[in-house]
Amino acid sequence: MSDVTHILEAMEGGNTQAADQLLGLVYAELRRMAAHKMAGEKPGQTLQPTALVHEVWLKMVGQGNRGWKDRNHFFAAAAEAMRRILTDNARRKLRQRHGGGQQRVELDDCAAAKAEDVQVLAVNEALEKFAQLDPQRAELVKLRYFVGLTIQEAADVLGISEPTAKRYWAYARAWLHEEIRNSA
């Protein structure tokens, strides 16, 4: 059993210091996951990897959300929290009223940023439909697309083999591509 799993059990048992111990163990991994995802974003984003990790931590631990079975379950929950935060951020940026603090940007930068936000929302909508049909493959997409885990890392989190994860990934990508194309 990993140290993370032991600490999660201590948290369930009411140990108030366990959350601090957990943060020390998982922070670097959460930060790496967030940095990987944010590396593909345009420069000048308001949401930085450190802020994303802090929002995930507050959403997961700060609000008393607990009950993770083990390390893999914890990181799967973190991936879901990152997906929701990034999706909410993309929605917020696309709102008309969000333009109150306007800044001068080049036209190409503005169009590219809006296209990225629209893409995140399209993937999220298609993923919600896919999750109803195939929750495990949808979870793999969340880990790969929104968190940036490798096939092997995502397979470890989900408790499946790498070849199975590769098959799931190929199927999920094809399904989502077709769903996004049909809904456009």
Side-chain angles (χ1 to χ4, degrees), residues 4-176:
V4 172
T5 303
H6 285 296
I7 293 172
L8 291 172
E9 288 175 354
M11 287 174 68
E12 275 297 306
N15 184 339
T16 57
Q17 296 175 342
D20 292 335
Q21 293 173 334
L22 179 64
L23 181 60
L25 284 176
V26 300
Y27 187 83
E29 181 68 16
L30 290 174
R31 178 72 170 72
R32 186 190 67 75
M33 290 166 51
H36 185 343
K37 176 57 188 157
M38 299 304 294
E41 300 290 323
K42 284 278 192 199
Q45 290 291 320
T46 56
L47 187 62
Q48 298 297 317
T50 301
L52 179 57
V53 169
H54 292 180
E55 283 194 46
V56 166
W57 184 257
L58 288 174
K59 185 174 278 246
M60 293 179 64
V61 178
Q63 296 177 351
N65 298 339
R66 297 196 176 127
W68 305 290
K69 296 181 288 193
D70 56 21
R71 181 183 193 283
N72 292 341
H73 189 217
F74 176 83
F75 281 106
E80 175 65 14
M82 280 187 191
R83 180 186 72 84
R84 288 182 183 194
I85 290 166
L86 291 171
T87 300
D88 290 346
N89 192 45
R91 281 190 184 118
R92 183 183 51 78
K93 287 197 281 185
L94 288 174
R95 283 190 214 132
Q96 286 292 334
R97 68 174 186 229
H98 184 68
Q102 296 175 0
Q103 297 176 356
R104 182 177 297 263
V105 295
E106 296 296 321
L107 184 59
D108 293 339
D109 292 342
C110 181
K114 187 172 182 176
E116 287 175 10
D117 292 339
V118 170
Q119 179 184 359
V120 167
L121 293 177
V123 170
N124 185 61
E125 287 177 21
L127 187 57
E128 287 176 1
K129 290 180 186 177
F130 188 56
Q132 293 175 357
L133 299 172
D134 197 331
Q136 189 173 32
R137 289 181 184 170
E139 190 64 29
L140 177 70
V141 172
K142 291 174 193 174
L143 293 170
R144 296 271 297 139
Y145 182 80
F146 287 99
V147 179
L149 296 183
T150 65
I151 286 284
Q152 183 60 55
E153 291 169 334
D156 291 344
V157 168
L158 294 174
I160 59 177
S161 69
E162 185 176 359
T164 298
K166 286 179 180 178
R167 286 192 307 274
Y168 283 10
W169 178 242
Y171 176 81
R173 284 180 36 204
W175 192 96
L176 291 168

